[in-house]
Amino acid sequence: MHIDIDHALCIGAGQCALAAPAVFTQDDDGFSVLLPGRENGGGDPMVREAARACPVSAITVSETGS
């Protein structure tokens, strides 16, 4: 799985961190970032829900290699 965060779109709503706190957090400015070692989602089933919860669609999730 590949997770991409468009930092130009992110508004820091924090919905991703609420939906999948084992994968997403917020930086010092409040914007979404992936936790170290969780760049591939770490098998968390909530990653796709976190992407859907983003109010500005700043997160995309794709299968590895696509």
Side-chain angles (χ1 to χ4, degrees), residues 7 10 12 17 24-34:
H7 297 285
C10 182
F24 297 94
T25 190
Q26 290 177 288
D27 65 14
D28 291 339
D29 294 320
F31 297 105
S32 180
V33 292
L34 294 167

Side-chain angles (χ1 to χ4, degrees), residues 10-61:
C10 182
I11 60 170
Q15 296 304 305
C16 57
L18 290 172
V23 177
F24 297 94
T25 190
Q26 290 177 288
D27 65 14
D28 291 339
D29 294 320
F31 297 105
S32 180
V33 292
L34 294 167
L35 288 168
R38 297 298 183 152
E39 293 82 4
N40 68 354
D44 191 319
M46 294 302 291
V47 170
R48 291 187 191 281
E49 179 57 33
R52 281 190 288 274
C54 181
V56 294
S57 300
I59 301 169
T60 54
V61 179

